[in-house]
Amino acid sequence: MDMRKKIAAGNWKMNLDLEEAQKLASEVAAMVKDEYIGQAEVILAPPFPFLVPVHRLVSDVSNIHVAAQNLHEQEAGAYTGEVSASMIKSSGASHCILGHSERRQYFGEDNALLANKIDQALANGLTVIYCLGETLEERESGVTAEVVGRQLAEGCFHLDASAWNRLVIAYEPIWAIGTGLTATPEQAQEVHHYLRIKLATQYGDAVAQATPILYGGSVKPANAGVLFSQPDIDGGLVGGASLKARDFVEIIKAL
Ligand code: PEP
């Protein structure tokens, strides 16, 4: 029996202005309310300045939640330009994406730093969407399992089993992000299954079976259904296609 939550999360990255963000959030909320019937969780991850207005626009739709795309690893203080977990929580957001490959690549975030960010997020009552994935070179040299296994272990295995009800894993092969290349459903399933076995070995079956593992990398309406039909794929982390309300809602419906 499938006990796991089904989740579609839209990562808006550094796109849209306030007006566009509000329009997109309103459209998604209206479509989800009018058209979608089910248990799936919908998460919108706008840039920091739009967390509050987006949360206001979706707060009456019970299965839509708001996520930040990053946070700072310290609680508070003299860190000009940074945003803390408690600020995000107080904005109305309930989730935070951490470890996105763009953060790892352009901002030098490594597993040790991400472990601290995860602690901050959890200590402030946020649910974490922790991203991991291999580069094309790593896939081609046959070290995918080793790379994602290390990202999972070094980022998360310091946590107690009890923390896992507020953790979601997102497998995002870097070569498939924003490139139009999608992992085949079988390629994605193989990695998701591997991650679930790693979880089972570390924490036991209950945690492994309850933890949602999302796939990300050029998910669109045309490929969402076949990806989500894989046994260990519990939803998607969606970039480009989440910027169009109709496309994102079609992906939600594929859950
Ligand atoms: C992402 O950045 O998380 C992502 C999956 O992007 P895209 O869907 O555009 O490939």
Side-chain angles (χ1 to χ4, degrees):
M1 196 179 67
D2 197 350
M3 319 240 325
R4 290 188 291 280
K5 277 184 203 156
K6 300 286 180 193
I7 301 172
N11 174 12
W12 296 358
K13 309 193 182 185
M14 195 173 73
N15 292 299
L16 311 177
D17 63 17
L18 176 59
E19 201 178 316
E20 292 164 337
Q22 289 177 311
K23 181 165 179 281
L24 178 56
S26 309
E27 285 174 359
V28 171
M31 290 180 196
V32 166
K33 232 187 335 198
D34 294 348
E35 301 172 34
Y36 177 72
I37 302 158
Q39 300 296 313
E41 238 178 67
V42 177
I43 299 170
L44 303 180
F48 287 133
F50 309 150
L51 287 173
V52 169
V54 165
H55 177 255
R56 284 195 183 128
L57 288 166
V58 303
S59 58
D60 65 325
V61 188
S62 63
N63 60 324
I64 304 187
H65 308 280
V66 177
Q69 300 172 15
N70 178 36
L71 53 73
H72 194 264
E73 66 275 17
Q74 300 292 331
E75 186 65 47
Y79 300 99
T80 301
E82 293 296 323
V83 175
S84 73
S86 64
M87 292 171 189
I88 292 165
K89 179 73 177 173
S90 71
S91 77
S94 51
H95 290 64
C96 189
I97 297 171
L98 290 173
H100 192 280
S101 62
E102 289 150 17
R103 300 292 319 169
R104 292 178 187 264
Q105 185 182 347
Y106 305 137
F107 302 95
E109 297 193 2
D110 61 15
N111 297 329
L113 173 72
L114 291 166
N116 291 333
K117 290 193 176 202
I118 290 172
D119 289 345
Q120 268 302 317
L122 295 176
N124 284 280
L126 295 167
T127 294
V128 171
I129 302 172
Y130 179 64
C131 306
L132 40 77
E134 81 287 3
T135 63
L136 187 58
E137 297 70 40
E138 288 163 343
R139 172 160 287 268
E140 285 174 346
S141 48
V143 293
T144 296
E146 190 184 320
V147 169
V148 299
R150 195 180 326 118
Q151 289 168 328
L152 181 67
E154 293 181 3
C156 305
F157 281 2
H158 64 290
L159 299 168
D160 291 339
S162 63
W164 280 83
N165 59 3
R166 283 195 284 118
L167 266 165
V168 173
I169 301 299
Y171 168 58
E172 300 204 307
I174 294 169
W175 48 273
I177 296 178
T179 57
L181 295 173
T182 314
T184 65
E186 295 74 24
Q187 281 174 322
Q189 166 60 25
E190 187 182 20
V191 176
H192 284 230
H193 183 65
Y194 173 76
L195 293 169
R196 207 175 298 287
I197 289 180
K198 291 275 290 182
L199 284 177
T201 307
Q202 183 73 15
Y203 291 104
D205 267 349
V207 166
Q209 289 307 321
T211 300
I213 307 180
L214 313 184
Y215 169 79
S218 300
V219 176
K220 35 191 181 269
N223 61 23
V226 60
L227 285 161
F228 298 164
S229 66
Q230 296 295 315
D232 288 294
I233 300 183
D234 305 309
L237 178 54
V238 185
S242 74
L243 296 172
K244 292 190 195 119
R246 174 45 60 201
D247 283 2
F248 188 53
V249 170
E250 291 308 314
I251 292 167
I252 299 165
K253 286 173 156 181
L255 288 169

